[in-house]
Amino acid sequence: ETGVTQTPRHLVMGMTNKKSLKCEQHLGHNAMYWYKQSAKKPLELMFVYSLEERVENNSVPSRFSPECPNSSHLFLHLHTLQPEDSALYLCASSLKGLAGTTDTQYFGPGTRLTVL
Amino acid sequence: AQKVTQAQTEISVVEKEDVTLDCVYETRDTTYYLFWYKQPPSGELVFLIRRNSFDEQNEISGRYSWNFQKSTSSFNFTITASQVVDSAVYFCALSEPKRPGRRALTFGSGTRLQVQP
């Protein structure tokens, strides 16, 4: 496979469930990102992982927990979510994540999450 | 204040018409990057172009062209002879690499383009 893949593509979960979103990049990149796309808000960054650091948006609730075991895989663990967390969750990767530089980010197809 | 403004929420054109999508950004940095992404109904964000703040030369790629004007802080995107396959949501984004917490992209709210046959 090429590019950035995400599984599952669709997920419906109850508020008491625990689930995980998976992202895998096949581009040899060193930085990965989670974004949230809600119906009426701009895309917002949740987390960044690179070889050097992890950066998170301080407004992201603790019920979202990222994990990056290596440079090719990124997970988003979900627990006790709220209905307002329903959104499209997009993963992206870029070649480098060093401070002071920026690279083009390539996105996966997203996971459409519905919290009942 | 919004860092990236896409004032056009939705645009509808007829096939073969030209259409321009506006993007206005705000930054105090001298070094920054601007991007355009396309999001078709499938949901995946497709990278279209990346432009750094030191390169004001306009760019053309097939039916796509971009007009970067630092004087007005705008980075507009024009599709010439639009086609139905151009129907998507288009996002403009800003990256400010020297600003802590801003190395990732700041997106505009997007413009939905509908191209009617």
Side-chain angles (χ1 to χ4, degrees):
Chain A
E1 276 190 90
T2 58
V4 181
T5 58
Q6 290 186 241
T7 54
R9 294 294 308 276
H10 300 273
L11 177 64
V12 180
M13 59 186 289
M15 290 191 286
T16 58
N17 292 159
K18 288 185 181 181
K19 296 286 184 182
S20 295
L21 310 185
K22 179 182 176 182
C23 176
E24 186 173 357
Q25 58 92 4
H26 310 269
L27 301 168
H29 288 172
N30 294 306
M32 297 186 77
Y33 310 75
W34 279 117
Y35 285 86
K36 176 182 179 182
Q37 187 177 27
S38 305
K40 295 181 180 179
K41 294 173 72 174
L43 273 151
E44 54 180 326
L45 176 71
M46 300 175 74
F47 302 100
V48 182
Y49 271 92
S50 69
L51 292 177
E52 296 77 24
E53 62 186 323
R54 161 182 159 171
V55 175
E56 48 191 283
N57 182 339
N58 290 330
S59 67
V60 176
S62 60
R63 55 186 182 266
F64 294 92
S65 173
E67 178 190 358
C68 191
N70 54 61
S71 60
S72 298
H73 295 86
L74 182 65
F75 295 90
L76 187 63
H77 303 301
L78 317 171
H79 63 97
T80 58
L81 293 193
Q82 304 297 312
E84 61 263 29
D85 297 321
S86 298
L88 181 68
Y89 289 84
L90 289 159
C91 174
S93 71
S94 67
L95 183 60
K96 294 179 286 188
L98 296 170
T101 66
T102 186
D103 296 292
T104 300
Q105 293 177 28
Y106 294 90
F107 286 78
T111 295
R112 173 73 61 188
L113 173 67
T114 303
V115 182
L116 302 176
Chain B
Q2 222 170 343
K3 303 283 282 186
V4 180
T5 301
Q6 294 180 255
Q8 304 149 307
T9 305
E10 188 160 346
I11 301 175
S12 183
V13 298
V14 177
E15 211 170 15
K16 297 184 183 176
E17 282 186 25
D18 298 347
V19 58
T20 295
L21 310 181
D22 298 333
C23 174
V24 175
Y25 61 92
E26 179 188 327
T27 179
R28 281 178 274 183
D29 291 353
T30 56
T31 302
Y32 54 90
Y33 295 80
L34 295 162
F35 300 79
W36 275 96
Y37 284 86
K38 173 183 179 180
Q39 187 176 39
S42 59
E44 181 176 349
L45 279 166
V46 178
F47 166 74
L48 296 178
I49 191 171
R50 171 175 180 251
R51 176 54 49 118
N52 76 59
S53 52
F54 298 107
D55 182 2
E56 287 193 72
Q57 189 173 8
N58 291 328
E59 181 153 342
I60 298 174
S61 176
R63 296 184 297 106
Y64 295 170
S65 63
W66 290 269
N67 184 358
F68 180 27
Q69 299 266 355
K70 285 180 78 169
S71 59
T72 55
S73 297
S74 66
F75 186 44
N76 296 337
F77 172 32
T78 297
I79 302 175
T80 303
S82 60
Q83 300 176 1
V84 173
V85 294
D86 296 327
S87 297
V89 181
Y90 290 86
F91 291 94
C92 181
L94 168 70
S95 176
E96 299 159 286
K98 295 186 177 179
R99 188 169 294 273
R102 287 235 179 256
R103 291 184 295 108
L105 296 170
T106 301
F107 284 86
S109 53
T111 296
R112 181 178 300 277
L113 174 64
Q114 300 259 28
V115 182
Q116 310 289 345

